[in-house]
Amino acid sequence: MNKYLGNKPALALFLLPALLLYSVILIYPVLQTVLRSFYDWDGLSTASFSGLANYRELFSDPLLATSLKNGLLFAVVLAVFQIGLGTILALVCANPKIRGRKLLKTAYFIPVVLSVTVVCQLWIAMYDPTNGLVNKLFELLHIPYRQNWLTSPTQSIIAIAFVNAWQFMGYQFSLLYAGVKAVPEDYFEAATIDGCGKWRAHLHVTLPLMRETFKFCFTIAITSGIGAFVQMLIMTNGGPGTTNYTLTFMIYRYAFMESNYGYACAVSVLLVMISLAATLVINKVFDRGQNV
Amino acid sequence: MKAQHKRLSALMITLSMTLLLSACGGGNAATNDSAEPAAAPEGGAVKLKVYAQHFDEDTKGPFDYAVEELKKEMPEVEIELDSAVQDGNQKLKTYAATGNMPDIYFTDWATLQTFAKSKNVEILDDYAATTEYKASLNPGVESRLIAPDGHVYAYPDTGIEFQLIYYNKTIFDKAGIATPIKTIDELAAAAVKLKEAGYVPMSIFAKEKWISAAFYNGLVTREEAAGFGALDQQGLTELPQAFVTAAQQIEQLQQAGLFDANATNTNYDQASSQFYQGKSAMFVNGQWEIYSSAEKLGDQVDWMYWPAKDEATYEASKYYIDGAGSPQGYAVSPASSNKETAVKVAAFLAAKSAEYKYTQLGSPIISPKTDKPIASDVPVMMQRVADELLPSAKEYAKLLSNTQIQNAINDNTQNLLVDGFKAQNFVDNLNRTLGKENK
């Protein structure tokens, strides 16, 4: 084996196709997007170099603030709901004394395999202000809290984010469950023998040992939130007005509705930068104190 | 072993280069410019690919009729249909970006502008077919053919299409509402009555922003006949009073409960079925809805003129039409290998499609004149359009060519249908956009 691994020309030869493929489908488009962001380009005509004009315009675009705020809210909802609730459910399901664990695990995962369109249509009906299930539930419980869930400028983004969180909670749950199961049971047993209650043992033993799983889950939740798009498109088409815009929706609008591809590329670059920054921060936070 | 190694290397390099070249390939119309156009086959069939709407009876009928007529007129031409999809012309733009434009395509003004810049549309100014087409135009629809920059890019089949308020006469009678409604106050009062009677006063599919903008434009045209076109002036950085008034009127109507609480999340199917099932009393859409509404509701349905701030304004502005004539229709690709024929065919398809719409559907809203008689039963509402509205039309709203201003209007008129968004917010947002775009 070492003989083969030591053969550098052979290694290079076998790596080359994968490297080229990766470059062609990932690095090349990213570089093209960065390059195009410095051009005034409608997607069809010859592009003209405009330097930083697209970026200057972007930072004075009122849609940017809305999109960033919505992206952040979306990410927070995903993180809190998917990881918070997902962790609790994973800990519960990992307890061998809980009956019907298999059924629960399957039930949590069902929404993941449904089409986004189906899920959005389902929730559109549930959020209907007149006949929707959500308002009817409040009515049934005699709580005077009927809302126009998808038209409210302040609540609709949370309502939409919840749909995404609900649908993909099962995915995060499966990762978290695998993380819980990967923690050696004797650590947990040792903690309980030392007098820790179950939840305390989880808090001080299981959760710290799931650092890598959390790092991955947070990265997925935050970057999904920042780049959210489909739910907004299907459920409200970004409206009312531009209330539910995110950076991805801005890209869609400028590229496909206004044929302003250069500007859309600038927004894309910003999206990539923010996602990378978020990933770096998450890594930094979770790596802190790891070697202590 | 060495030979095997060489062969493997060659295979890898070939595979890698293929991937690289396939990714860097493609191109745009510019690559087509240099391509030598192939001559039309002598004595053989001229094949033309046509990208056109062909998905329901309203679109299939006119196109199929035009193609049948073409067979008689130009038997040497073979049409290959590429059915258009309702995707905001993204498929067509992809064709343009990859240098695969069909010979003839049907499209709108927004796309034509982009294609004109990228040389994906043939300028038709100097063709004999254009001269003939201009001569055959119905009066008042020139803006449908001649673009604001003075060029002809496409041959239109329809005339200037406009927006109407449809209403259910039976529901109005039941609720004790007198017609015609002439003022905004009357409309607001009607909304209250209808709501009390358990109806949605007006269905509007405002998930599509253009319809809320069209509704707003209808109110604007009561005091500014040019409609949105009036905003297309250099130096105009504040909304004129007619636009402010119209925003305040929508706010008043929204507060009176004219629109459903879920209006901005309602699509066409939901809004129209609400109207056709007798759950809502009014419906907003273009005049093309006449056929469906007559079919579904028969004599129960009629259309009304846009209300104004008072009766005097209503009477004075009744015949200002909410509907701008933007250029659209059958355009020709400069990359077509049979360009001359394609131009003739495009003009022919547009003319014959219009002829079908007039003779078979009874629509008077067509671009070129036709001397053939109407051969079908025309819905009463369309007859009213032909007899009462079109001959009296004083002015049509003008085209707003600035996309940014139009988008700001679309976004903010949709907002006006939602609780808490004030007319003043609308004015502030629009003034910001006007200040940026028109300064």
Side-chain angles (χ1 to χ4, degrees), chain A residues 9-10 13-14 16-17 20-21 24 28 41-46 57 60-63 121 124 127-130 148 150-153 233-243 245 253-261, chain B residues 5 8-9 12-13 15-17 19-20 22-24 28-30 88 90 93-94 96-98 113-115 117-120 207-209 260-265 270 403-404 407-408 410-412 414-415 418-419 432 436:
Chain A
L13 187 69
F14 281 99
L16 190 68
L20 276 171
L21 191 64
V24 164
Y28 177 73
W41 184 46
D42 63 11
L44 294 172
S45 319
T46 311
E57 201 184 326
S60 62
D61 190 335
L63 270 183
Q121 291 300 340
I124 285 174
Y127 280 141
D128 187 279
T130 321
N148 291 340
L150 294 175
T151 57
S152 158
L233 183 74
I234 298 172
M235 297 183 78
T236 64
N237 202 14
T242 53
T243 314
Y245 266 53
R253 175 188 180 126
Y254 289 115
F256 302 114
M257 290 157 74
E258 295 188 11
S259 290
N260 194 350
Y261 281 81
Chain B
H5 191 248
L8 190 64
S9 306
M12 290 298 176
I13 290 165
L15 179 68
S16 311
M17 290 308 288
L19 283 167
L20 191 68
S22 62
C24 300
N28 58 20
Q90 293 310 318
K93 285 179 188 168
T94 310
T98 53
Q113 286 178 83
T114 315
F115 283 4
K117 265 196 258 171
S118 59
K119 296 188 173 49
N120 277 297
K207 195 166 187 178
E208 295 180 33
K209 290 177 182 172
D260 186 36
N262 208 27
T264 61
N265 264 323
Q270 293 163 327
T403 319
Q404 311 299 327
N407 282 339
N410 291 352
D411 291 337
N412 286 285
Q414 196 191 36
N415 271 328
V418 172
D419 280 339
R432 197 179 310 122
K436 194 176 153 203

Side-chain angles (χ1 to χ4, degrees), chain B residues 169-353:
Chain B
K169 290 189 276 186
T170 313
I171 296 178
F172 267 52
D173 284 345
K174 273 187 197 165
I177 299 163
T179 51
I181 287 178
K182 294 182 177 179
T183 67
I184 297 295
D185 289 339
E186 285 172 12
L187 186 58
V192 174
K193 275 190 183 176
L194 289 163
K195 224 177 160 186
E196 280 169 3
Y199 296 102
V200 172
M202 179 180 280
S203 287
I204 183 167
F205 46 103
K207 195 166 187 178
E208 295 180 33
K209 290 177 182 172
W210 74 266
I211 193 70
S212 54
F215 184 89
Y216 174 69
N217 203 24
L219 302 182
V220 169
T221 52
R222 300 310 84 189
E223 291 180 63
E224 171 51 84
F228 293 152
L231 300 177
D232 228 351
Q233 302 167 34
Q234 213 58 16
L236 181 81
T237 54
E238 277 198 9
L239 268 188
Q241 188 53 46
F243 289 81
V244 177
T245 307
Q248 289 164 344
Q249 288 170 343
I250 296 195
E251 188 184 347
Q252 181 192 345
L253 293 170
Q254 195 273 338
Q255 284 172 355
L258 181 70
F259 310 104
D260 186 36
N262 208 27
T264 61
N265 264 323
T266 305
N267 61 29
Y268 171 78
D269 291 334
Q270 293 163 327
S272 60
S273 67
Q274 239 179 5
F275 184 57
Y276 294 142
Q277 286 170 19
K279 290 178 184 165
S280 72
M282 288 177 269
F283 183 54
V284 194
N285 201 2
Q287 95 290 320
W288 53 85
E289 190 70 30
I290 284 177
Y291 303 106
S292 300
S293 53
E295 188 191 322
K296 308 263 173 38
L297 291 173
D299 292 342
Q300 286 187 71
V301 63
D302 203 352
W303 56 262
M304 64 171 87
Y305 292 97
W306 290 88
K309 67 179 175 196
D310 52 41
E311 280 197 34
T313 314
Y314 172 83
E315 294 299 341
S317 62
K318 205 168 151 183
Y319 298 116
Y320 292 153
I321 308 293
D322 172 18
S326 58
Q328 68 151 47
Y330 288 95
V332 173
S333 164
S336 168
S337 33
N338 298 294
K339 199 160 67 185
E340 299 289 329
T341 314
V343 172
K344 283 183 206 158
V345 171
F348 188 88
L349 290 177
K352 288 295 167 185
S353 170

Side-chain angles (χ1 to χ4, degrees), chain A residues 34-57:
Chain A
V34 174
L35 184 69
R36 293 289 180 181
S37 71
F38 297 110
Y39 283 81
D40 181 14
W41 184 46
D42 63 11
L44 294 172
S45 319
T46 311
S48 66
F49 185 74
S50 61
L52 292 170
N54 285 330
Y55 289 95
R56 274 196 293 272
E57 201 184 326

Side-chain angles (χ1 to χ4, degrees), chain B residues 72 151 174 255 273 296 320 371 375 398 405 408 421 428:
Chain B
K72 296 178 203 162
H151 290 302
K174 273 187 197 165
Q255 284 172 355
S273 67
K296 308 263 173 38
Y320 292 153
D371 48 10
K398 301 266 184 313
I405 301 175
F421 190 86
D428 293 343

